[in-house]
Amino acid sequence: MQEEISLGELAVRFGLTLRGSPDSKVSHVATLSQATPGSVSFLANSRYRKGLKDTRASVVVVTAVEAEGCPVDALITPNPYLAYARIASLLHPEFHASPGIHPSAVIAKTAHIDSSAAVGPLAVIEEEVELGERVEVGPGCIVQRGAGVGADTRLVARVNLYAGVRIGQRCIVHAGAVIGADGFGFAPDRGTWVKVPQVGSVRIGDDVEIGANTTIDRGAIADTVVEQGAKLDNLIQIGHNVTIGAHTAIAGCSGISGSTTVGQRCMIGGMVGIAGHLTIADDVMVTGLSLISASIKEAGSYSSGMPAVPTRAWRRMVAHLRKFGKKER
């Protein structure tokens, strides 16, 4: 059974204004529509306001404006989603493996593994690997020769770190991620291709999260770099020698071609394609399905994907586009 915590303690711990009983207790989070007594819910988007009036949650995290229509106790803050994230982390803490090495793991003699680290079943730790304090290497992970993982970082399961990859502290790398595979480098030779050796590596900063089945290629000469605090969703492809700036967030199925630099605090939507050898400025937002084929030099929001419309309307739009620029007969 989950431990209960009082609303008064939540308010004090997270700097929230409580409207209601400080002695009321909660134990879990839930959506407005599925909440029951003991639940914490939140309202951060006005589109879900209709769920507020019928909620059975014990408390809802809301703004001061939304609190006026809240039928239950309220924790009031200018940023409900952020406060909810912190409360949810408290009520639903992550499981952490106990220190030690599973008997089925394969560990090279020259690997250095801190005594507080945990290495799970069927993991492989190769020569000269360094695992820092409280590192967790989950089932089936492979950490290849000379790679290093900083303190409190977690490789969830089946993560493959290639040789020489360096990961910072407090990172999370989700299942199936591959970091440090060869970049896509081939020199043409009279209709055939000659592989260009990829001799760089990958450097991941502190507090980075990398989603399931995301791939980050090693550099051709210099390293591929993901700076501190960046958040990468599932199924993202990062090409060789790309740099992702600090605190940038990239949504799923996006692809960034080689030698492109993405600035700090950018937000890249799902299925965005970014061509190679470009520079994206700091504080740029790119909406989903956009194609970026030229550098972006100024902060702001950029789009190129076209939202879906009924097929007949789409055909008329295409017909007009085909005529665009043609000389009148």
Side-chain angles (χ1 to χ4, degrees):
M1 183 176 180
Q2 289 173 307
E3 185 176 351
E4 293 184 329
I5 188 168
S6 71
L7 299 188
E9 183 175 346
L10 288 179
V12 171
R13 182 179 294 213
F14 298 115
L16 311 175
T17 300
L18 172 61
R19 191 203 66 187
S21 171
D23 297 324
S24 179
K25 293 187 176 182
V26 291
S27 62
H28 59 279
V29 300
T31 63
L32 288 168
S33 60
Q34 296 178 338
T36 58
S39 299
V40 177
S41 192
F42 75 101
L43 176 63
N45 189 322
S46 59
R47 289 185 296 178
Y48 299 100
R49 186 181 295 143
K50 63 182 180 180
L52 182 61
K53 63 183 180 67
D54 297 321
T55 189
R56 298 176 60 213
S58 290
V59 67
V60 181
V61 186
V62 290
T63 62
V65 172
E66 298 292 0
E68 296 177 5
C70 183
V72 298
D73 289 354
L75 288 166
I76 302 170
T77 173
N79 192 337
Y81 194 41
L82 176 61
Y84 164 78
R86 289 171 172 161
I87 292 169
S89 296
L90 177 65
L91 294 175
H92 300 271
E94 290 186 359
F95 170 81
H96 291 285
S98 299
I101 299 173
H102 193 274
S104 65
V106 178
I107 311 294
K109 291 181 179 180
T110 57
H112 176 75
I113 301 175
D114 190 89
S115 60
S116 62
V119 179
L122 302 177
V124 176
I125 310 297
E126 293 188 351
E127 293 83 359
E128 300 176 354
V129 163
E130 296 180 5
L131 302 183
E133 296 177 353
R134 298 173 299 281
V135 164
E136 297 181 29
V137 178
C141 291
I142 301 173
V143 184
Q144 297 187 31
R145 174 179 47 81
V149 182
D152 298 298
T153 285
R154 182 185 178 202
L155 311 182
V156 175
R158 293 184 295 101
V159 172
N160 195 331
L161 303 185
Y162 276 52
V165 168
R166 312 298 293 187
I167 297 185
Q169 302 180 52
R170 300 176 301 278
C171 296
I172 302 173
V173 185
H174 288 281
V178 178
I179 302 176
D182 281 356
F184 194 64
F186 298 91
D189 179 20
R190 294 171 293 181
T192 64
W193 299 100
V194 176
K195 183 176 178 64
V196 177
Q198 304 292 289
V199 300
S201 188
V202 178
R203 290 185 284 118
I204 309 293
D206 297 339
D207 301 300
V208 170
E209 184 158 350
I210 298 170
N213 293 323
T214 282
T215 58
I216 303 175
D217 290 346
R218 69 192 310 107
I221 300 176
D223 293 343
T224 301
V225 178
V226 180
E227 294 181 352
Q228 68 179 55
K231 311 299 180 186
L232 309 184
D233 198 0
N234 303 331
L235 294 166
I236 292 171
Q237 160 65 8
I238 305 295
H240 58 185
N241 298 107
V242 165
T243 295
I244 305 296
H247 308 293
T248 282
I250 304 177
C253 297
S254 293
I256 303 178
S257 299
S259 300
T260 281
T261 296
V262 178
Q264 299 183 9
R265 300 176 301 279
C266 293
M267 293 186 289
I268 310 298
M271 297 187 72
V272 167
I274 302 180
H277 303 274
L278 305 182
T279 298
I280 309 300
D282 296 342
D283 301 300
V284 164
M285 181 175 71
V286 180
T287 60
L289 282 172
S290 294
L291 171 62
I292 307 301
S293 58
S295 293
I296 297 176
K297 299 180 180 180
E298 297 182 1
S301 180
Y302 296 81
S303 303
S304 72
M306 186 175 292
V309 295
T311 301
R312 291 183 65 183
W314 168 250
R315 288 172 177 165
R316 289 195 296 269
M317 291 165 63
V318 171
H320 285 300
L321 287 172
R322 286 176 174 171
K323 294 177 182 177
F324 192 77
K326 288 185 178 180
K327 293 182 179 180
E328 296 287 342
R329 291 187 177 182

